[in-house]
C-alpha cells in the first residue's frame, strides 16, 4: 500500500496519441516539427450547407483492433475507441506489463468535453424515423462522457482510482493535474491520464458554427488555424485522443523506465465571468499560471517554453498574451511561446493531454514545435511565438495552458527529470 506524501514525485513514462497529424504520437511529433497542418475539408459528412466546412479529422483509424472483440468496439462511440487506442499506445511506449502490476494501484482518468455526440445524433434520428422501440439499448453507455475512463479500465483490468473530468477544453489538462495528486496522495502507482473527443459530425460542426466560433477559411484549410495572427477568424475543430502514463518515481525506477519529464505543478482556477468569453485581461488565466508556478516551485526565469491554449480566436489569443505578460513580467518576451493548435486544430477535451505530450517530448528532445500561419502578427500579440519553423534550444521547464467554456482554467508545469 502507498502512503500519502507531499514528497512523492510524479514522472511521465509513456505517451499515446491519435490526432489529425498521425495515428500514433511518433508520427504526430514528426509532422509537428515539420510544420505540417492536419486540417482539411470535412470528409465524414456533407458540409455543403454549413458555414464551416473544415476540420482536423483522424483518417484511417480502425478502432476495433484495440478491443478484445469487434463486438465490444461496436458498442462504443468513436471517442471511446480513440481513448483506448491512445491508452494502449501509452502503455506500449512505457514498456509497462500490467500483468506484473498490482492492478488495484493502476488508475485511469480519461475525460471528454462532449462525449458520444455522434451516437446521440444517430439515435435521435432513429427515434424520429422509427420510434422509441428501435433505440439501441447501448445508446446511453455510448453517449455518456465517463465511458472513456470506464472502458479503458475494463479493457486493461485497471482497478485503481477512476473518474472522468468534463471541463470543456480544459478537460484533459485537469485529468493530468488530478492524476498527479492521486499519485502524490499514495492512491496509485500508475495513472493513465488524458482525454478524447470525436465531435466532427453535423451537431458538432453546426453547433460551434452557430456560435460563430469556427474559422470559415474554407478555401485554405491548412491556413485556417492561425493563432496570434491579425487575420485569424476562429478556431478549427479537431478530433482525437491523448493519454499519458504518469508514474510514481520510485516505481518507475524499480522497473528501469525511461522518463520523459517530471510533472511538478498544477493550476486550476475559474474565471467566474462568462459562458464562453475569457475574463477581461486574462485575469483567470493569470491566476492559473501563477498557481502552477507556485506549486512547482518554479520562477518565471526557469521556464523555457509555454504551450499556449492559443485557439486562433480574436479575444482568446489577446487575453492569453496579456496573462503571460502579467505572470512573467520582463521575462515574457524571453520565453518561447507557441500554439500547436495551428497544426492539430482544437481537439477540445483532448487538447490539454495532446499538448502536454508535446511538451514532454519537447523537454526530452530540446525541440519546440512552431506556430504556423503566423504571417501578420497581431500588434496586441507581441511575444516570441516560434513562428513557422521549429526551434532547437534547451527546454528545462514548461507550462501548458488549457482554458474552457464555463471559465475553467488549467495549467500544468513540468521540468526535465533530474
Amino acid at each position: 500500500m502507498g502512503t500519502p506524501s507531499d514528497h512523492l514525485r510524479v514522472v511521465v513514462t509513456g505517451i499515446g496519441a491519435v490526432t489529425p497529424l498521425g495515428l500514433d504520437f511518433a508520427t504526430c511529433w514528426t509532422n509537428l516539427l515539420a510544420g505540417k497542418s492536419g486540417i482539411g475539408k470535412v470528409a465524414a459528412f456533407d458540409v455543403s450547407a454549413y458555414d464551416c466546412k473544415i476540420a482536423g479529422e483522424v483518417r484511417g483509424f480502425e478502432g476495433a483492433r484495440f478491443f478484445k472483440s469487434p463486438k465490444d468496439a461496436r458498442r462504443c462511440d468513436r471517442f471511446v475507441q480513440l481513448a483506448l487506442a491512445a491508452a494502449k499506445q501509452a502503455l506500449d511506449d512505457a514498456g509497462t506489463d500490467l500483468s506484473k502490476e498490482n492492478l488495484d494501484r493502476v488508475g485511469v482518468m480519461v475525460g471528454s468535453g462532449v462525449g458520444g455526440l455522434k451516437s446521440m445524433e444517430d439515435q435521435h434520428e432513429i427515434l424520429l424515423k422509427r420510434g422509441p422501440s428501435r433505440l439501441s439499448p447501448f445508446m446511453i453507455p455510448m453517449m455518456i462522457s465517463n465511458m472513456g475512463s470506464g472502458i479503458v479500465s475494463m479493457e486493461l483490468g485497471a482497478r485503481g482510482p477512476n473518474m472522468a473530468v468534463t471541463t470543456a477544453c480544459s478537460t484533459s489538462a485537469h485529468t493530468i493535474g488530478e492524476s498527479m495528486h492521486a499519485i502524490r496522495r499514495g492512491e496509485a502507482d500508475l495513472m493513465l491520464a488524458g482525454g478524447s473527443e470525436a465531435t466532427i459530425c453535423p451537431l458538432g460542426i453546426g453547433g460551434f458554427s452557430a456560435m460563430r466560433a469556427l474559422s470559415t477559411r474554407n478555401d485554405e484549410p491548412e491556413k485556417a488555424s492561425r493563432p496570434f495572427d491579425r487575420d485569424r477568424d476562429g478556431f478549427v475543430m479537431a478530433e482525437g485522443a491523448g493519454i499519458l502514463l504518469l508514474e510514481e518515481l520510485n516505481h518507475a525506477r524499480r522497473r528501469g523506465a525511461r522518463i520523459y519529464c517530471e510533472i511538478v505543478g498544477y493550476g486550476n482556477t475559474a474565471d467566474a465571468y462568462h459562458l464562453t468569453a475569457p475574463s477581461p485581461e486574462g485575469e483567470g488565466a493569470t491566476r492559473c499560471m501563477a498557481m502552477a508556478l507556485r506549486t512547482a516551485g518554479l520562477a518565471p526565469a526557469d521556464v523555457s517554453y509555454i504551450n499556449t491554449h492559443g485557439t486562433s480566436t480574436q479575444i482568446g489569443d489577446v487575453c492569453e498574451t496579456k496573462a503571460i505578460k502579467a505572470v512573467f513580467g520582463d521575462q515574457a518576451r524571453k520565453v518561447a511561446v507557441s500554439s500547436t493548435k495551428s497544426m492539430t486544430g482544437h481537439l477540445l477535451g483532448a487538447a490539454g493531454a495532446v499538448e502536454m505530450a508535446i511538451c514532454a517530448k519537447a523537454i526530452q528532445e530540446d525541440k519546440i514545435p512552431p506556430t504556423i500561419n503566423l504571417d501578420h502578427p497581431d500588434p496586441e500579440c507581441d511575444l516570441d511565438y516560434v513562428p513557422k519553423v521549429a526551434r532547437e534550444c534547451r527546454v528545462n521547464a514548461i507550462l501548458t495552458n488549457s482554458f474552457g467554456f464555463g471559465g475553467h482554467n488549467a495549467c500544468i508545469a513540468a521540468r526535465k527529470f533530474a
Side-chain angles (χ1 to χ4, degrees):
M1 288 293 292
T3 56
S5 171
D6 291 334
H7 303 294
L8 293 178
R9 296 171 66 182
V10 179
V11 293
V12 176
T13 57
I15 294 173
V18 184
T19 76
L21 287 175
L23 298 179
D24 57 76
F25 183 68
T27 304
C28 176
W29 177 249
T30 298
N31 286 328
L32 285 166
L33 293 182
K36 292 185 178 180
S37 171
I39 310 305
K41 184 176 179 180
V42 172
F45 63 99
D46 181 6
V47 290
S48 58
Y50 292 76
D51 293 335
C52 175
K53 307 178 194 304
I54 58 177
E57 292 178 286
V58 173
R59 306 287 177 91
F61 176 70
E62 298 175 2
R65 71 185 186 90
F66 295 96
F67 285 77
K68 293 174 184 175
S69 79
K71 181 173 67 175
D72 291 337
R74 290 194 297 271
R75 292 174 175 176
C76 291
D77 186 86
R78 182 175 172 86
F79 90 97
V80 174
Q81 296 180 15
L82 290 163
L84 182 60
K88 288 193 169 182
Q89 288 179 16
L91 289 173
D92 289 344
D93 182 53
T96 301
D97 182 354
L98 289 184
S99 69
K100 297 179 180 179
E101 297 291 338
N102 176 359
L103 293 175
D104 292 347
R105 296 191 55 77
V106 179
V108 180
M109 287 195 195
V110 178
S112 180
V114 180
L117 188 63
K118 183 65 167 62
S119 293
M120 180 171 65
E121 185 178 87
D122 291 345
Q123 292 300 308
H124 184 245
E125 185 174 355
I126 290 171
L127 173 67
L128 294 179
K129 291 182 176 179
R130 302 168 65 187
S133 65
R134 303 310 297 269
L135 289 172
S136 169
F138 297 102
M139 184 194 81
I140 297 300
M142 290 176 73
M143 183 185 74
I144 52 182
S145 298
N146 66 300
M147 277 298 164
S149 253
I151 294 297
V152 168
S153 70
M154 293 176 209
E155 288 285 322
L156 300 177
R159 299 189 298 261
N162 189 292
M163 58 186 277
V165 174
T166 299
T167 50
C169 305
S170 299
T171 292
S172 55
H174 279 135
T175 68
I176 292 168
E178 296 304 321
S179 292
M180 176 194 75
H181 283 320
I183 292 173
R184 285 183 172 180
R185 288 193 299 264
E187 297 169 358
D189 299 320
L190 298 160
M191 291 292 302
L192 285 160
S196 184
E197 210 75 86
T199 55
I200 311 302
C201 61
L203 270 179
I205 296 290
F208 279 105
S209 289
M211 295 176 64
R212 301 290 186 265
L214 300 182
S215 171
T216 55
R217 193 184 286 257
N218 298 311
D219 295 334
E220 297 180 299
E222 298 86 358
K223 296 181 180 181
S225 184
R226 43 198 318 111
F228 310 111
D229 188 86
R230 75 181 184 199
D231 298 324
R232 65 193 183 278
D233 70 329
F235 73 84
V236 179
M237 281 180 64
E239 63 179 352
I243 306 285
L244 281 71
L245 184 67
L246 306 190
E247 191 164 353
E248 193 274 318
L249 175 58
N250 290 325
H251 185 279
R253 280 174 166 160
R254 282 193 296 271
R255 67 179 192 86
R258 175 213 45 221
I259 293 172
Y260 284 100
C261 64
E262 181 177 2
I263 305 291
V264 289
Y266 171 42
N268 178 6
T269 66
D271 284 357
Y273 172 71
H274 187 272
L275 209 62
T276 56
S279 56
E281 308 298 308
E283 182 274 336
T286 299
R287 287 186 290 107
C288 191
M289 283 188 283
M291 181 186 294
L293 287 174
R294 185 175 65 254
T295 58
L298 294 173
D302 297 325
V303 177
S304 310
Y305 172 50
I306 302 172
N307 186 294
T308 64
H309 186 56
T311 57
S312 188
T313 60
Q314 285 291 335
I315 297 174
D317 290 2
V318 171
C319 282
E320 187 169 11
T321 297
K322 290 179 176 179
I324 292 169
K325 290 178 180 178
V327 173
F328 281 75
D330 293 340
Q331 192 68 25
R333 288 184 173 83
K334 300 176 183 178
V335 63
V337 175
S338 77
S339 173
T340 47
K341 289 185 179 74
S342 61
M343 294 172 279
T344 65
H346 190 355
L347 277 76
L348 306 180
V354 170
E355 287 156 15
M356 182 57 233
I358 292 166
C359 288
K361 195 67 173 173
I363 290 171
Q364 184 197 43
E365 292 198 358
D366 289 318
K367 294 177 182 177
I368 296 174
T371 305
I372 67 168
N373 300 323
L374 190 54
D375 299 326
H376 306 288
D378 185 329
E380 292 190 81
C381 299
D382 55 355
L383 302 178
D384 176 7
Y385 300 111
V386 192
K388 299 186 179 182
V389 178
R391 181 180 302 169
E392 292 193 28
C393 65
R394 179 81 174 172
V395 182
N396 290 314
I398 64 89
L399 294 183
T400 180
N401 291 332
S402 295
F403 311 131
F405 286 171
H408 302 285
N409 305 308
C411 180
I412 305 296
R415 67 184 177 197
K416 279 191 186 296
F417 171 69

